[in-house]
Amino acid sequence: MKFDEIAVTGAPYGVTAGPDGRMWVTSVHSGQILRIGDEVSVFDLDPGCGPAVITPGPDGALWFTRLHDHRIGRIDVDGASTSFALPTPEAGPYGMAAGPDGALWFTEMNLDRVGRITVDGEITEIPLGVEGSYASTIVTGADGALWVTLNQAHAIARVTVDGKVTVFALPTEKAAPVGIARGDDGAVWFVEIGAGQVGRVTPEGEITEFPLPQRDARPHAIAADGAGGCWFTEWGANRVGHVTANGEFEHFALPTPGSEPHGLAVAPDGAVWVALEAGKVARLH
């Protein structure tokens, strides 16, 4: 496998495959959304809004969190965008995922809550009941619930669409989970940036952890590969890693030193796209 790199403006952070067959990237520091196809298109947002995590919505648009101005953004495939203010000030929205109920769900890092927004912009907020949890990323599991990494509580939360919260403490102290993804095996997979591990949790809450060969690699984001394993970024090691369903690892060094890999996504053709905050987007194929 090999990397191709595309130099872009700003600081790429989140990436996802869009419904239009192109890749969509947030540029967190420059307040922009990038659309990557045969060419790169740049869509300016409000300066300083801090677009972070992006995901396709059920309405054919892309939805993303605006971390710095505490709003939820929406952009259609032609680049027209709008945003919605959150009910609670200084919420710190970060993770975002399409829910099983036709709405979008997101985390509020500063408030120990998750939020839900309909495609019409109606917002509700649900307390997680864990103080100082720093809720980070969120995904819909195979069981139809939302799964959330609680970075500073060193735990994973399961949230049903009617608001019932169950918290599963991780076995490893100071694990600090960040990225989370729905696996191909019915479980949810996540990475522990503090402990240098990849974890797996079943719908019943059974947790397995796989230590990385380099424990200070600081894994950040994770995505299922469509064949039973997962890809993940290793921010501290300047690499992209792969883990099989059995916990076997393979690692791929990024071509540019200090590239700061954060979000990643698997495209329909199986290529892995990685947002590099140093100003590039990489494609592993």
Side-chain angles (χ1 to χ4, degrees), residues 60-177:
L62 289 301
W63 290 73
F64 55 96
T65 50
R66 295 172 40 143
L67 178 62
H68 295 158
D69 67 356
H70 313 287
R71 301 176 73 90
I72 300 300
R74 177 190 183 275
I75 187 167
D76 65 29
V77 294
D78 295 322
S81 64
T82 188
S83 67
F84 304 90
L86 296 181
T88 308
E90 306 299 316
Y94 179 69
M96 171 157 275
D101 55 352
L104 286 301
W105 289 70
F106 56 93
T107 60
E108 297 182 339
M109 291 195 301
N110 297 344
L111 299 176
D112 306 312
R113 297 177 183 175
V114 295
R116 176 185 183 273
I117 182 169
T118 68
V119 294
D120 297 321
E122 180 182 348
I123 299 171
T124 54
E125 296 169 311
I126 300 169
L128 292 168
V130 182
E131 187 175 352
S133 64
Y134 210 67
S136 297
T137 55
I138 186 168
V139 72
T140 297
D143 59 347
L146 288 304
W147 291 78
V148 186
T149 52
L150 306 184
N151 179 263
Q152 290 303 294
H154 312 293
I156 305 294
R158 179 183 184 271
V159 184
T160 63
V161 292
D162 58 359
K164 180 182 178 182
V165 180
T166 307
V167 177
F168 303 101
L170 295 177
T172 303
E173 292 184 2
K174 299 182 178 179

Side-chain angles (χ1 to χ4, degrees), residues 191-275:
V191 287
E192 300 174 358
I193 197 170
Q197 299 186 133
V198 176
R200 175 185 182 273
V201 58
T202 68
E204 298 75 31
E206 181 182 348
I207 296 170
T208 307
E209 295 172 312
F210 303 103
L212 289 169
Q214 183 179 338
R215 297 298 291 275
D216 63 352
R218 298 187 67 76
H220 184 269
I222 188 167
D225 65 5
C230 290
W231 293 95
F232 56 95
T233 51
E234 297 180 271
W235 179 79
N238 201 51
R239 297 186 309 214
V240 173
H242 181 265
V243 61
T244 67
N246 298 322
E248 299 172 351
F249 291 107
E250 191 172 5
H251 308 271
F252 302 87
L254 287 157
T256 301
S259 55
E260 300 184 55
H262 288 289
L264 83 168
V266 179
D269 64 359
V272 181
W273 289 77
V274 190

Side-chain angles (χ1 to χ4, degrees), residues 21-55:
R22 292 173 284 193
M23 304 305 293
W24 290 77
V25 181
T26 60
S27 187
V28 64
H29 298 312
S30 61
Q32 296 170 321
I33 301 292
L34 314 178
R35 185 184 65 197
I36 302 177
D38 294 334
E39 58 184 23
V40 179
S41 300
V42 179
F43 304 106
D44 293 323
L45 306 172
D46 301 311
C49 67
V53 177
I54 187 167
T55 193

